[in-house]
Amino acid sequence: MVKPIKESEMPVPSETMAEVKHQFADFCISLGKTGTFNGYIRASKLPSGSHNQESGNEKTERFLLEIPYVNDVLLWYILFDSQEPESPPQFIFCRATDTKYERSDGGFLKTMVDSEALENLLPSLANWDSTNQEALANVVEELLIAFRKYQLNALREMTDQTVAFKVINLLESQTVAESDIELIIRAGNEVNLLVRLAVDMSKVPELLLPPLDRRQREILASVLFTLVGDRQTSKLVLSPRMQLILGQEKDVKFPNIQADRKQTLPEYVDLVRKQLDQRIAMVVGGVNHRKNFLTSLVGLMGRALVETDTKNFTKSTFLLEWNNFSFLVHCCVPLTFPFEKPIYIFQSIYHTCKQRPFASKCSDYPYSPNWQHFEMADRAKTFILEYVKTFQAESIRAK
Amino acid sequence: MDERKSETSDQQSVVNDSDDTSMSESNNYGNPENEEEELDKKSNTQENFNILLPRMNVQEKIIICLDLCADLHGSDPFRFGDGTKLSTLNMLKRIVQMFLFCKMTIDTKHEYALMALHRNGASWITHFTDTPSDITNTMATLKSMPQPPECDMSCVFDKIAEIIALPHVSDVSVELPSHIYRVIMLYARTNCRPILGTNCGSAKALTLSPYFFFDLIYVHEPLNDVNKDTCQSIFNDLCTELCLPTSYVFNVGRNPTKLHDCMAKLLAHPLQRPLQEDADYKLLPEEHSN
C-alpha cells in the first residue's frame, strides 16, 4: 500500500509520481519492443520500505520487475525516494538463480558509474525527467539493451575464447542480427545463448491460433544453446501457441546440434529455420487436407454424426449401429495428415472398463496418403464394418 | 427379455460375464424395439431455427435434469440377462455416467450441470463443470423420493432462467455464439402428470432463443392395457408443452439396451446433428445386416 505523502513535503504534485507508477501496465507492453525475452514481464509494487539499507533513505517506493531472459529471470528492483520525488530511481540487479551470497550482475552496475557511459547508454536516466510519463519505461528499455551489450562484452573478455568465437561467427554470418540474440554467462563459464527465429505465420489460418494475451510477449520459436568450451548442445523452444500448431516440444523431433565442432551455429540455425518453414507449410496445407477428408466422411455417414471439430478439423465422432449393437467411432486426424494416417477409436456405449466407457484404438488398416479424400472415406467405412465384430467381443470381455 | 435362452453356442459363452453382458445378449436377439411397444410421438409443426444456425461445434453447456421421483423398484425394475435388477433411478444414474464420460471423450470443452426433479419441483444440484466426476460423485448421493400426483414443470424453467445467460449475436446465421445450452430431461414417472402453465414466462423466454435446446427421455413402465392411455397422454403433454422442433424425444419402457441407445443418441451436438426423423445410425442398410 502506498503511504500517503504529506503535501508540505512534496514540491512536485503527487499526481505526477502516481502517473509514473501507474504507467506500469502499459509500460510492460511497450517493453516488448526490445530484447528477445520470451513471455510475460511481471511488474509488482513491493511494500514501501521504512528502512532500506541499500538506498539509506527512510522512505522508498519499491518496484520489482521480473524479466524472463534466456533461461533465467532477471529481478530488477526499482527504488524511488518518496522524499525526493524528482530524483531518478535507483536500481538493484539480481537474477532468480542468484544465491544468497552470490549476485551475478553486480558488475553491470559498475559499468555505469562512469558518467559518460551513463550519458551514452542511459540517456533517459542521465537526464531524468520526473514529469515525463514514459521516463521509467525508457530507462528500463535502455537498461535492457545495455544489459545485453554487457553480457556480450563479458563474453569477449572471457579467457577461453572458444565460445566467444562461435557467437561472433554467428553474428558475422548474418544469419541472425544482434537484436535476435540474448546471452547469459553462468558459473563455470557456461554460456546460454538464445537465438530468436523468424517464423512466417501469415498463411496459418486464424482459427488454429488462439489470440494472444495483450500483455504477453511471444517469441514463436527460438533455439537455446548451451556452450561450454568446445561442447555445444541445443534445445528448441516453442511458444505455447506454436506448440498448438507444431505439437509439443518433445514431439517435434528436430535434430539437436551436433556435439562436436562439426556443425557451426549458423549452419544449425539455418537448418532449424528450414525445418520450421517446412513444418508450417505442412500445417497450412494440412488444414485443407483434414477438412476435405472429414467432409467426405461426414458426407458418407452424416446422418449418424455426433460431433465434428469444425475449428481444427482433427476429429469427427459418429454413432453407428450394426446388428443391433450400437457404438461410437471417433475418427482422429493427426496434424501431419495425410503423411500420417487417421486413428479410429471405437467406444462402447454399454460397457465400461475401470469405470470409463470401454474404448479401443485402431490404426491397423491399409492406407496410402495418395488416395483421394472420398476414397479414404469409403475405405474408412469398410474398415469400421470389418472391425466392429471384434470390438463388440472385446467390449463384452472388458472389466 | 430375460426369460429367453441363448440360441447359439457363441452366445452361450458370454452369458456368465459381468452384468453388462445383458446388453449384448439382447442385441443378439434381434431388434430391441420389437420387444416393447412404443408410444406415438406427436410432431411439432413450429418454425424451425435449426436450418439457419452455423453447424459449428461450439461449447455445449448441458443441464441434466434427473428425476428423483422415478418409478420405484417395486413397480418393475430394469432386468438384466443374468438376473440383476436396477431401479429406474439407478439405471438413469448409470446412463448419465456413460453419457458424461463419452461426451468428454468427444470434446473436453463441454460443460455439465445437474438438476434434480423432486417432490417440490426442481433444484440445482451441481453447477457447470467440465469434470464429469463432479457430477457423478454428487449424483451417487441422491436418493429416491415418493412420486407426487402432479409435477409442476414451470419451476424447472424458472430455476434454469435464474442461472443461465443466453448468448446474443446480431446475425444468427453467420455469427457464432460462445456456447449453447441444452437441457436433457429424464422424466421417469408413469403416473404423474407434468404440468406447464401457459403463462410460464421463463419457459417462453428460454425457448425463444435459438441457443436453447431441450431433449427428453420419458421412461415408463412396460406398456399394458391399463397404463397405455395414461402413458400416451403424459408423453403427449411432454412433447407439446416442453419440446421444440429441434428436440430429440425418446420413450423407453424397461429395456436397458434401448435406454443406453437413446442416451447415446443424445450425445450428438445440437448444431450438427440432423433432425431426429432424419437420423440414421445403421452402418449397413437393413437387408444386409448379418
Side-chain angles (χ1 to χ4, degrees), chain A residues 204-210 310-313, chain B residues 56:
Chain A
V204 178
E206 256 178 47
L207 283 181
L208 279 184
L209 279 177
T310 43
K311 190 173 166 193
N312 295 334
F313 304 100
Chain B
M56 306 278 278

Side-chain angles (χ1 to χ4, degrees), chain A residues 83-310:
Chain A
Q83 287 181 318
E84 286 181 43
E86 277 179 338
S87 59
Q90 294 190 306
F91 288 85
I92 304 173
F93 304 100
C94 302
R95 292 186 207 174
T97 48
D98 283 345
T99 62
K100 197 171 159 189
Y101 301 104
E102 188 192 309
R103 202 183 280 166
S104 315
D105 296 318
F108 181 44
L109 207 55
K110 289 183 192 140
T111 60
M112 291 180 290
V113 165
D114 174 358
S115 61
E116 199 186 302
L118 197 71
E119 186 76 47
N120 288 336
L121 290 174
L122 310 172
S124 302
L125 189 61
N127 307 311
W128 174 256
D129 177 5
S130 59
T131 60
N132 182 357
Q133 285 183 1
E134 292 178 13
L136 187 57
N138 291 340
V139 173
V140 175
E141 218 167 290
E142 288 159 9
L143 272 172
L144 268 172
I145 297 174
F147 184 78
R148 281 170 39 233
K149 277 206 168 69
Y150 163 69
Q151 293 286 332
L152 203 52
N153 286 337
L155 180 71
R156 290 193 177 109
E157 282 162 24
M158 281 169 74
T159 18
D160 179 359
Q161 281 289 290
T162 328
V163 175
F165 173 74
K166 286 184 187 173
V167 175
I168 293 165
N169 183 32
L170 177 65
L171 289 173
E172 284 177 357
S173 70
Q174 310 261 316
T175 321
V176 293
E178 200 176 302
S179 57
D180 289 330
I181 69 163
E182 203 168 77
L183 63 87
I184 205 164
I185 302 178
R186 294 200 185 285
N189 287 336
E190 177 182 298
V191 176
N192 294 132
L193 172 72
L194 191 70
V195 177
R196 171 174 58 178
L197 300 168
V199 182
D200 180 10
M201 300 289 275
S202 55
K203 296 206 184 71
V204 178
E206 256 178 47
L207 283 181
L208 279 184
L209 279 177
L212 194 58
D213 181 345
R214 190 179 84 102
R215 296 164 302 169
Q216 236 174 326
R217 181 97 198 304
E218 183 191 36
I219 306 288
L220 289 164
S222 48
V223 182
L224 178 66
F225 292 102
T226 304
L227 307 160
V228 185
D230 254 345
R231 299 200 313 270
Q232 53 190 31
T233 54
S234 68
K235 179 176 180 278
L236 185 66
V237 180
L238 299 173
S239 74
R241 293 203 313 159
M242 200 62 174
Q243 291 187 46
L244 278 180
I245 299 173
L246 291 185
Q248 291 186 329
E249 280 170 1
K250 60 180 171 64
D251 297 327
V252 165
K253 290 192 178 67
F254 278 17
N256 286 329
I257 193 172
Q258 291 174 17
D260 52 26
R261 279 221 203 189
K262 283 201 187 123
Q263 200 171 31
T264 63
L265 295 187
E267 280 170 5
Y268 181 70
V269 167
D270 265 335
L271 176 69
V272 172
R273 230 192 242 141
K274 277 203 186 77
Q275 296 228 355
L276 269 177
D277 286 340
Q278 272 175 6
R279 287 288 178 101
I280 294 193
M282 218 163 70
V283 166
V284 169
V287 173
N288 284 330
H289 279 297
R290 293 196 304 274
K291 185 171 171 182
N292 290 339
F293 171 60
L294 286 184
T295 307
S296 298
L297 206 57
V298 171
L300 210 53
M301 301 195 288
R303 290 169 75 183
L305 179 67
V306 170
E307 192 165 328
T308 180
D309 172 11
T310 43

Side-chain angles (χ1 to χ4, degrees), chain B residues 56-222:
Chain B
M56 306 278 278
N57 66 326
V58 301
Q59 181 196 45
E60 281 190 75
K61 291 192 193 265
I62 301 176
I63 304 168
I64 304 210
C65 199
L66 185 65
D67 191 353
L68 297 184
C69 299
D71 295 335
L72 289 172
H73 191 112
S75 68
D76 225 330
F78 280 81
R79 288 173 206 273
F80 294 88
D82 62 355
T84 341
K85 299 176 199 170
L86 269 187
S87 69
T88 308
L89 182 59
N90 285 335
M91 193 66 208
L92 291 180
K93 288 183 186 180
R94 189 152 141 170
I95 58 165
V96 168
Q97 181 156 359
M98 281 302 270
F99 174 87
L100 292 172
F101 287 109
C102 284
K103 190 69 179 167
M104 185 180 71
T105 322
I106 294 170
D107 199 317
T108 50
K109 70 180 174 220
H110 301 308
E111 288 182 3
Y112 317 95
L114 185 64
M115 283 183 77
L117 209 54
H118 51 74
R119 282 192 74 84
N120 304 319
S123 308
W124 283 93
I125 306 287
T126 315
H127 281 266
F128 290 105
T129 168
D130 62 1
T131 316
S133 48
D134 290 347
I135 307 268
T136 54
N137 289 340
T138 316
M139 194 169 58
T141 63
L142 299 174
K143 304 239 183 299
S144 275
M145 289 177 150
Q147 220 175 78
E150 280 176 354
C151 177
D152 176 18
M153 298 301 268
S154 61
C155 61
V156 175
F157 292 95
D158 289 341
K159 294 279 165 148
I160 293 176
E162 270 169 33
I163 301 283
I164 73 174
L166 285 164
H168 285 284
V169 303
S170 37
D171 188 346
V172 156
S173 54
V174 167
E175 271 183 66
L176 284 182
S178 48
H179 54 271
I180 58 171
Y181 288 97
R182 177 149 71 115
V183 176
I184 298 183
M185 170 68 68
L186 303 171
Y187 189 85
R189 307 177 194 190
T190 306
N191 294 305
C192 171
R193 305 198 66 84
I195 298 180
L196 182 72
T198 43
N199 287 325
C200 180
S202 50
K204 286 199 180 102
L206 291 171
T207 52
L208 274 177
S209 168
Y211 305 126
F212 181 80
F213 295 86
F214 190 96
D215 293 330
L216 165 77
I217 304 184
Y218 173 42
V219 185
H220 52 77
E221 286 168 7

Side-chain angles (χ1 to χ4, degrees), chain A residues 30-68:
Chain A
S30 69
L31 253 190
K33 291 188 218 121
T34 58
T36 62
F37 48 83
N38 193 1
Y40 193 6
I41 297 183
R42 279 171 41 119
S44 42
K45 179 145 193 338
L46 302 178
S48 299
S50 53
H51 269 293
N52 189 319
Q53 285 173 348
E54 299 281 353
S55 63
N57 289 337
E58 282 235 353
K59 288 193 187 117
T60 47
E61 304 289 341
R62 299 187 296 175
F63 297 91
L64 169 62
L65 275 187
E66 293 167 79
I67 306 170

Side-chain angles (χ1 to χ4, degrees), chain A residues 303-304 306-308 310 315 319-321 323-324 326 347-352 356-357 381 385 396, chain B residues 20 24 27 30-31 56-57 98 101 103 105-106 110 260-261 267-269 272 278 280-283 290:
Chain A
R303 290 169 75 183
V306 170
E307 192 165 328
T308 180
T310 43
K315 193 174 182 185
L319 176 66
L320 297 168
E321 188 193 318
N323 229 18
N324 299 308
S326 295
Q347 190 171 37
S348 175
I349 60 168
Y350 312 113
H351 303 100
T352 56
R356 295 284 182 271
K381 193 170 171 185
L385 199 55
I396 292 166
Chain B
D20 288 318
S24 56
N27 284 330
N31 195 340
M56 306 278 278
N57 66 326
M98 281 302 270
F101 287 109
K103 190 69 179 167
T105 322
I106 294 170
H110 301 308
H260 275 258
D261 288 347
L267 286 167
H269 195 291
Q272 297 183 323
D278 294 335
D280 179 11
Y281 307 97
K282 294 207 186 318
L283 201 46
N290 244 12

